[in-house]
Amino acid sequence: MHMIKYVLGAGLLAAALGLAACGGGQDEEAAQSRLDMVKERGNVICASNNSLAGFGSIDANGNTVGFDIDLCKAIAAAVLGDATAVEFRPTVAAERGPVMQSGEVDLMSRNTTWTSFRNTQWGNFAPTMFYDGQGFMVLRSMGVSSLLELEGAKVCVQQGTTTELNLQDFSNQNNLNLDVVTFPDNTTTSEAYQSGQCDALTTDRSGLVSTRVGFSNSDDHVILPGTISEEPLGPVVPHGDEQWYDVVSAVMAMLIYAEAYEITSASVPATATGDTAVDRLFGLSGSYGQEILGISDTAAQDVIRSVGNYGEIYDRHLSRLGLIREGSRNALWAAAPCGDCPKGGQIYAAPLR
Amino acid sequence: MSPEPYDRDLTLPPPRLSVGAAGWVRANLFGTWYDGVLTLVCAAALALALWFGLVWVFRDADWGVVATLGGNFAIGQYNTEAACPGKNCFWRPQVVLLLVTMFLGMSWGLTKSGIARTVAILVASAAAAFAFLPYSMEKMGMDVRVLLLANAPALGAGWAIARHTSMSVRWFIILGVAAFLLSLGLLRGLPGMQPVPTIYWGGLMLNLLLAVGGIAASLPIGVALALGRRSRLPVVKVMCVTFIEVFRGVPLITLLFMSQVLVPLAFPEDFPLNSVARAGIIITLFSAAYMAENVRGGLQALDPGQMEAARALGLAAWQTTLLISLPQALRNVIPAIAGQFIGLFKDTSLVYIIGMLDVVEIGRAFILGNPEYLENARELFVFLALVFWIFTYGMSYVSRRIEYHLGVGKR
Amino acid sequence: MAQLPRTLTYQGIPVWRHLLVIQWTTQIVSAIVVVALVVWFFANIGGAIQDRDIPYGFSFLSREYQTPIGDHLIPYESSDTFLYALFVATTNTVVVAVAGVILATLLGIVIGVARLSGNWLVSKLALVYVEFFRNVPLLVQLLFWFYLMLTLPTVRDGHVVAGRIYVNNSGISIPWLSGSGGALTWLALAGAAVVIGVVVHRLLVRREVETGRASYPLMAGFAAAFVVGAVSWLAIGAGGEAPFVISLPGPEGRFGRIAGGFTIRAGLLVLLIGLVMYTAAFIAEIVRAGIQSVVRGQVEASRALGLSPLEALRHVVFPQALRVIIPPTISQYLNLTKNSSLGGAVGYAELTNVGITMTQTAPAVSIFILIMLVYLATSLTWSLIGNLYNRYVGFSWG
């Protein structure tokens, strides 16, 4: 009987200790704003892609480069004054939601489509920096001229984005019978398509254009007119910190307005130019709110000097893939100094003042 | 260790019935009519495969993608601008490589065995040979080449240290563990050095680090689990069995995925547990479950008389386990552990599921991001198969020789 | 006052050295530590889920999945629920696992025996096979087969072998039976026919044993089953169309995709080839070790008794080697099942592949918990089969 008492006593004691340990783990920490966290840490952690041509990929020296990558660098330049103070967290499509929700990254710039589901579940979307839409590519010799002629086709789909869902909607709406094969990445998808395993390849049009550039017989393939979805792509920031969201949005606006004012990385003014709009942007006269945002007055100088304006970033990464900007949705809406001479694109941000 | 003549197998083979090349061919290739048919069919298939293979390798294939990525296969993004501003970190992985060759030299000096010598010399000369790759000086600087060449003297130094000091195997192992930890510290950045975030570790270096670290760390855990599984205490046993069966029962990629999406939620946002560490922990636990089963097999194979004798001599249970059962069991499962190491090394290629740039993924990501190389995926995967094959075949060859050397399976 | 020293009275073993106390304290303490860790882990996750509004739970299972699944053995519509879609994906995994296990076993035995062949070329080729396929990661091998498959003619080339078998890089299509309205009825009747055949066989065997008269039970059993099956076939056929008709594959529509017959799609084919070639290398080594574990004298004795090499292998060596071969082979079956999770890389809609797609519209953590449970169940099934076998041969390795 003694023994049992001891055993019970020991058990209860240990259980109490265990509970105490559990309870102790729940202590509250003073919430620190993400901006302060980033400044203290000294770098921006950015969820990124490393396998999408033009947006986030690896160059021959092993560097991660791309349109989305430069957006991350712009944030680092604005907040820390150093465009290289970014830590890229490579993220596969399926873990994007959990990574944003866990709060382990400061932002995600990873060709992510802005949808209302993601906006509520993953985080807030900053201004759209690239407009895309899902399209189809087929062999020219098949004589297909419209999306509706794809009845009975075998379609290669790249997994993990909204493409599969859009494809289902499209075939439901038009009563098309499509046979679908899903591949995890662009290499396998495009190889399967190019070798004739599939009749059509579907992904975002930007992806189709850049994939076709890589084909040795690129003229034999035609990208069908029209898209079956709306894909506005932009950076995402975690929920729950409006100041940080405002900073990211403002930096995106800086990139856009710098192009509108025709200021490139080579022509960033260091002294007042007399053009009030430009001076305001670069912190040379007055301020449009950097103080309230908590970043330096001259943040825009650092940003444009290190990564260039929107047009420069676009040319650097996307033009080489054959994505023509002139006349597309990704042209600027308007050159800023002239309100009624629209350029016809949709790239636009809230005025900086 | 002088050769012991009594150990030799003195049974001699029967005298050969046929002699000469023709006799050998008749005996080994055309023994019966169906042997002959089999031989001809196999030979024809072999010839065809070789012909098409060689034509492709030497004429049709474009190996530009392999040459372009070059050193990134070895270290991934470790020496990029983002990982190491100023690009002055390339020497750290190279120093780690020097440490490896030095230890190979030490094991040669220590064991004086032929296989250790072969491996050490092969690795050191292969590393040194890389110094002569026909890259431009801009892409592969003189400093890189010199450090590669230094592998030869490093081998000699290791050999000399082992020969001219009274180093024991125990010290060798302790030094090895210390060197591994030092290597990790060096790669991450020792105090006062530019730190390189682990997210940029990649290439073959990452595969090897995960495999070596995983197998080493899983050994003690696996032993504990194996002992727990054989324990007479029901609660302990149930917990160990549950752990082992769960980790053995699900694919590694689902575990890795969970490590990325679930584990971060369990820790505060600023807890310094990066994805490499998480992958390392998951790989270790996964490997520990397999290790436990291997060790258990070794424990079960022991003669119960050993334990009975130990108890009869008055050893306590823990003494019996630590001094009698485990040393024998571990010696018996060396081949199984070697096999597991090879399996783990291959499995490290699965970290692609969490976006890490190991040797496979860096090649894949490069092709994906640069459509002009889309059509060279074949060449890339043949190259990767070769890289893996060289390592795994080398490992299994060494393990077979060690097995032979230790006389595992012989009584 | 003369007091006896206390030490002379026997106090029993001190409580803290009592074996039961030590054992139970160890167990309770370790259990509490483990439970506390697990509780801490999941309590933190639960807290994080609440704090950050992370979607969780399993209510999505009854929602419509609304996404295509390329491969499905059982009927699937995009309007089916997540739960059913997961079930479809599970059947895809099971198909690969079962077919892969059978083929890998056959190939493994062939290669394992070839390793021990007296023919130098054959044994060396088998060795090269084993050393190559064992030592290259499965992912790399799968991609290799994937690219090899793509070099086949396209479906537009209309490549046909042996009459109506279509071979192209989208898959292989063969003529197959296609059921009509009476198919299910006939299948039920055919099942009954088999039962009748077995009963007839049993009865005749008993009669033969009891009376000693030759009653040809096997032949009679087959005949009974055949007659019942054939009569019901004709009866159903007389009412309209035969229960099963042969469906021939053929090109259809603008893109010339093959319809009719039975098509093994490229993804399944590549995954099967990859898994089988990879696993067979391991099974071959197990088979070789098993055969070598049989004492050489056994083979020599059976040869001396006049058995041919093949008969010796079949009747003497294999039955003995099997005890050594089966346990590790079962664990290879388990590995094959788990390795099928790489099928997504070559475009096969197995469980993990579908699960990753599902994370687009449902909580990732919930999906992966379900997937892991399914794999765990499959693994435990394999373990169970292994244990049953062990009990059957009367020896234990677990």
Side-chain angles (χ1 to χ4, degrees):
Chain A
M1 283 318 282
H2 278 286
M3 192 192 75
I4 292 171
K5 261 192 223 163
Y6 273 93
V7 171
L8 280 178
L12 284 175
L13 185 68
L17 282 176
L19 284 178
C22 287
Q26 303 279 338
D27 55 349
E28 291 293 313
E29 279 174 45
Q32 196 186 15
S33 83
R34 193 165 286 274
L35 186 63
D36 293 339
M37 226 158 83
V38 169
K39 282 179 175 168
E40 198 182 297
R41 200 194 304 127
N43 65 6
V44 176
I45 301 179
C46 182
S48 63
N49 196 348
N50 51 29
S51 51
L52 184 65
F55 290 91
S57 64
I58 292 175
D59 70 4
N61 293 319
N63 295 309
T64 313
V65 293
F67 182 86
D68 285 340
I69 302 298
D70 278 358
L71 299 187
C72 297
K73 289 185 175 169
I75 305 288
V79 176
L80 303 163
D82 177 5
T84 63
V86 196
E87 186 176 315
F88 294 107
R89 159 85 156 81
T91 313
V92 296
E95 60 172 335
R96 284 182 294 180
V99 162
M100 286 309 294
Q101 287 151 353
S102 77
E104 61 180 306
V105 297
D106 299 320
L107 81 155
M108 173 160 71
S109 179
R110 195 204 169 282
N111 59 292
T112 302
T113 304
W114 178 19
T115 67
S116 63
F117 172 84
R118 291 172 177 176
N119 212 10
T120 50
Q121 299 284 8
W122 293 8
N124 293 322
F125 279 74
T128 299
M129 298 303 274
F130 190 87
Y131 288 92
D132 217 331
Q134 187 174 343
F136 287 82
M137 176 154 68
V138 293
L139 260 186
R140 199 178 289 279
S141 60
M142 297 310 305
V144 177
S145 58
S146 133
L147 296 178
L148 298 175
E149 294 172 28
L150 288 170
E151 169 68 27
K154 190 160 186 164
V155 182
C156 279
V157 190
Q158 193 182 321
Q159 176 185 55
T161 52
T162 42
T163 35
E164 291 146 297
L165 306 172
N166 297 331
L167 187 62
Q168 187 67 52
D169 287 350
F170 171 68
S171 68
N172 285 353
Q173 283 157 10
N174 299 293
N175 219 357
L176 283 180
N177 189 17
L178 301 176
D179 184 5
V180 173
V181 194
T182 308
F183 290 101
D185 60 47
N186 189 26
T187 338
T188 32
T189 321
S190 58
E191 284 273 353
Y193 162 71
Q194 207 193 358
S195 68
Q197 193 180 88
C198 300
D199 304 307
L201 171 66
T202 178
T203 186
D204 291 343
R205 281 181 72 90
S206 64
L208 292 178
V209 171
S210 63
T211 301
R212 192 172 63 162
V213 167
F215 289 169
S216 48
N217 56 348
S218 52
D219 285 347
D220 297 349
H221 301 272
V222 54
I223 296 173
L224 295 178
T227 55
I228 62 167
S229 71
E230 188 72 355
E231 312 275 353
L233 311 176
V236 198
V237 298
H239 275 310
D241 192 330
E242 289 177 17
Q243 181 195 21
W244 180 243
Y245 174 77
D246 295 339
V247 169
V248 173
S249 302
V251 175
M252 296 304 122
M254 287 174 195
L255 296 172
I256 292 169
Y257 279 97
E259 188 192 3
Y261 301 143
E262 292 175 346
I263 304 291
T264 65
S265 54
S267 64
V268 176
T271 51
T273 58
D275 182 337
T276 47
V278 172
D279 288 351
R280 200 163 50 230
L281 171 63
F282 289 103
L284 300 172
S285 77
S287 164
Y288 59 83
Q290 288 103 319
E291 278 161 26
I292 306 164
L293 285 175
I295 58 177
S296 100
D297 268 352
T298 53
Q301 291 186 28
D302 295 324
V303 171
I304 305 303
R305 220 174 263 134
S306 45
V307 298
N309 63 35
Y310 181 91
E312 287 177 275
I313 297 177
Y314 191 103
D315 288 342
R316 200 158 50 228
H317 301 295
L318 301 179
S319 293
R320 76 175 175 100
L321 295 173
L323 290 166
I324 298 157
R325 186 167 174 226
E326 200 66 42
S328 78
R329 295 173 72 182
N330 293 308
L332 287 190
W333 162 242
C338 133
D340 42 306
C341 48
K343 297 194 163 200
Q346 279 179 290
I347 295 299
Y348 176 80
L352 288 169
R353 55 184 314 135
Chain B
M1 282 200 213
S2 59
E4 288 169 276
Y6 309 108
D7 233 355
R8 291 252 180 84
D9 190 355
L10 285 175
T11 333
L12 294 175
R16 275 196 278 168
L17 297 176
S18 55
V19 286
W24 184 89
V25 166
R26 192 171 307 131
N28 290 297
L29 294 177
F30 297 95
T32 57
W33 68 266
Y34 55 79
D35 250 359
V37 172
L38 219 52
T39 302
L40 289 179
V41 170
C42 287
L46 189 65
L48 269 179
L50 275 181
W51 170 252
F52 282 111
L54 291 178
V55 163
W56 183 77
V57 167
F58 289 108
R59 203 192 65 196
D60 300 343
D62 173 8
W63 298 98
V65 60
V66 174
T68 307
L69 267 179
N72 295 316
F73 282 120
I75 58 171
Q77 292 191 302
Y78 190 85
N79 197 32
T80 56
E81 189 63 39
C84 182
K87 293 251 274 183
N88 51 1
C89 298
F90 67 92
W91 58 272
R92 298 191 205 169
Q94 289 199 298
V95 167
V96 173
L97 180 62
L98 289 175
L99 275 176
V100 171
T101 38
M102 200 171 92
F103 267 83
L104 287 175
M106 270 156 76
S107 73
W108 170 22
L110 201 61
T111 62
K112 303 188 192 67
S113 78
I115 182 68
R117 187 186 60 204
T118 317
V119 170
I121 292 180
L122 267 179
V123 170
S125 45
F130 279 121
F132 300 103
L133 286 176
Y135 282 114
S136 67
M137 278 296 159
E138 198 187 330
K139 181 134 177 156
M140 187 177 178
M142 203 30 118
D143 37 8
V144 178
R145 292 173 197 261
V146 167
L147 276 171
L148 280 172
L149 279 175
N151 279 289
L155 172 74
W159 184 81
I161 291 171
R163 283 304 288 272
H164 299 295
T165 58
S166 52
M167 184 190 269
S168 64
V169 174
R170 177 173 308 193
W171 270 104
F172 178 75
I173 292 174
I174 293 174
L175 277 180
V177 173
F180 181 71
L181 295 178
L182 177 72
S183 305
L184 287 183
L186 189 64
L187 290 175
R188 183 70 183 83
L190 295 170
M193 287 161 61
Q194 165 79 36
V196 175
T198 50
I199 204 90
Y200 297 113
W201 296 14
L204 200 55
M205 179 178 85
L206 180 68
N207 295 80
L208 286 169
L209 280 176
L210 284 175
V212 171
I215 207 86
S218 71
L219 186 64
I221 306 176
V223 167
L225 284 169
L227 292 175
R229 185 162 192 175
R230 280 170 61 85
S231 157
R232 275 168 302 148
L233 310 176
V235 178
V236 174
K237 184 172 177 170
V238 164
M239 288 190 306
C240 289
V241 171
T242 312
F243 179 91
I244 292 172
E245 293 302 331
V246 167
F247 273 83
R248 267 164 46 96
V250 296
L252 182 56
I253 59 171
T254 58
L255 285 172
L256 283 171
F257 188 84
M258 286 303 251
S259 80
Q260 295 301 297
V261 303
L262 197 61
V263 175
L265 296 181
F267 295 95
E269 278 181 31
D270 47 357
F271 192 80
L273 196 63
N274 55 56
S275 34
V276 176
R278 288 199 293 254
I281 290 171
I282 285 292
I283 285 177
T284 302
L285 294 179
F286 179 77
S287 166
Y290 280 84
M291 184 69 79
E293 290 299 276
N294 284 335
V295 173
R296 185 166 70 111
L299 287 170
Q300 271 173 350
L302 285 188
D303 187 345
Q306 294 279 332
M307 271 76 86
E308 285 159 16
R311 299 304 294 272
L313 284 173
L315 296 189
W318 65 269
Q319 285 170 320
T320 315
T321 308
L322 275 187
L323 301 175
I324 309 294
S325 334
L326 268 184
Q328 298 189 59
L330 287 181
R331 177 172 161 278
N332 281 338
V333 295
I334 283 176
I337 294 178
Q340 197 195 329
F341 178 69
I342 294 169
L344 197 64
F345 176 63
K346 285 185 293 172
D347 279 348
T348 54
S349 62
L350 298 182
V351 292
Y352 81 92
I353 195 79
I354 53 176
M356 270 152 64
L357 294 169
D358 77 315
V359 62
V360 179
E361 190 58 15
I362 190 140
R364 229 159 66 123
F366 178 70
I367 283 189
L368 288 171
N370 299 272
E372 60 269 33
Y373 290 103
L374 258 185
E375 291 172 348
N376 295 130
R378 266 161 261 242
E379 286 84 348
L380 175 73
F381 286 112
V382 168
F383 168 76
L384 289 173
L386 187 72
V387 168
F388 270 97
W389 187 82
I390 289 173
F391 275 85
T392 49
Y393 182 75
M395 288 170 197
S396 76
Y397 181 72
V398 170
S399 94
R400 259 177 295 163
R401 291 300 299 264
I402 292 175
E403 199 179 315
Y404 179 79
H405 194 70
L406 289 173
V408 174
K410 280 200 258 172
R411 289 277 152 192
Chain C
M1 253 186 347
Q3 223 176 9
L4 281 172
R6 284 184 67 91
T7 45
L8 285 187
T9 51
Y10 178 63
Q11 299 272 314
I13 306 172
V15 169
W16 60 91
R17 296 205 54 184
H18 198 290
L19 192 59
L20 278 176
V21 176
I22 293 177
Q23 286 185 351
W24 279 100
T25 325
T26 323
Q27 296 201 67
I28 290 173
V29 168
S30 56
I32 286 168
V33 168
V34 170
V35 169
L37 271 177
V38 171
V39 167
W40 175 84
F41 189 79
F42 284 99
N44 276 1
I45 289 174
I49 281 176
Q50 272 189 344
D51 290 351
R52 299 171 204 169
D53 269 339
I54 296 174
Y56 69 102
F58 294 93
S59 54
F60 69 91
L61 283 174
S62 52
R63 264 191 356 233
E64 287 187 5
Y65 181 34
Q66 283 298 349
T67 310
I69 298 181
D71 309 78
H72 47 86
L73 201 69
I74 51 178
Y76 170 78
E77 293 290 327
S78 65
S79 54
D80 286 324
T81 60
F82 272 84
L83 185 64
Y84 185 75
L86 269 176
F87 177 67
V88 171
T90 306
T91 58
N92 285 344
T93 290
V94 170
V95 164
V96 168
V98 172
V101 157
I102 294 170
L103 295 173
T105 309
L106 294 178
L107 185 63
I109 291 174
V110 170
I111 307 272
V113 172
R115 277 276 268 133
L116 298 170
S117 161
N119 186 321
W120 181 85
L121 189 61
V122 170
S123 74
K124 284 293 172 276
L125 276 181
L127 177 69
V128 169
Y129 175 95
V130 168
E131 291 297 356
F132 179 78
F133 284 97
R134 242 178 16 158
N135 285 328
V136 174
L138 180 60
L139 181 66
V140 177
Q141 289 189 36
L142 282 175
L143 290 165
F144 172 77
W145 293 115
F146 172 77
Y147 287 114
L148 203 66
M149 178 91 195
L150 292 186
T151 58
L152 287 179
T154 69
V155 69
R156 291 188 284 276
D157 297 336
H159 189 69
V160 180
V161 289
R164 294 305 290 261
I165 299 179
Y166 286 80
V167 177
N168 50 58
N169 63 11
S170 305
I172 295 177
S173 305
I174 53 172
W176 198 249
L177 296 173
S178 132
S180 65
L184 278 181
T185 327
W186 184 77
L187 276 183
L189 288 173
V194 171
V195 172
I196 290 171
V198 170
V199 169
V200 168
H201 176 254
R202 284 267 170 89
L203 287 176
L204 288 180
V205 165
R206 190 182 296 165
R207 202 179 81 148
E208 201 172 64
V209 170
E210 281 169 2
T211 64
R213 266 183 291 164
S215 315
Y216 309 106
L218 203 62
M219 250 195 285
F222 272 117
F226 179 78
V227 167
V228 176
V231 166
S232 48
W233 179 286
L234 290 175
I236 293 171
E241 44 183 351
F244 284 98
V245 289
I246 291 179
S247 146
L248 289 175
E252 207 178 66
R254 174 198 278 267
F255 299 98
R257 287 286 150 194
I258 308 293
F262 180 74
T263 302
I264 306 173
R265 290 157 62 102
L268 174 59
L269 204 60
V270 167
L271 179 60
L272 258 185
I273 294 175
L275 284 174
V276 166
M277 300 290 262
Y278 182 75
T279 314
F282 289 90
I283 295 184
E285 280 302 274
I286 296 169
V287 168
R288 181 186 62 91
I291 293 177
Q292 281 180 334
S293 75
V294 176
V295 186
R296 181 131 190 93
Q298 295 270 338
V299 186
E300 284 159 5
S302 52
R303 294 302 301 278
L305 285 172
L307 297 182
S308 76
L310 222 60
E311 284 171 330
L313 204 60
R314 156 95 181 69
H315 295 292
V316 178
V317 177
F318 263 145
Q320 298 186 62
L322 229 44
R323 290 167 172 246
V324 184
I325 290 174
I326 296 283
T329 307
I330 293 276
S331 95
Q332 286 304 322
Y333 292 172
L334 203 159
N335 285 346
L336 186 146
T337 312
K338 288 194 293 170
N339 285 336
S340 71
S341 59
L342 295 179
V346 292
Y348 182 64
E350 47 72 47
L351 189 56
T352 308
N353 190 13
V354 172
I356 289 176
T357 307
M358 281 184 175
T359 58
Q360 293 307 314
T361 42
V365 172
S366 310
I367 297 264
F368 267 79
I369 286 176
L370 286 177
I371 290 177
M372 287 166 84
L373 284 178
V374 173
Y375 280 112
L376 206 53
T378 339
S379 302
L380 291 179
T381 313
W382 282 125
S383 299
L384 189 71
I385 293 173
N387 285 335
L388 286 179
Y389 172 82
N390 275 339
R391 197 162 300 164
Y392 173 68
V393 300
F395 108 154
S396 135
W397 100 93

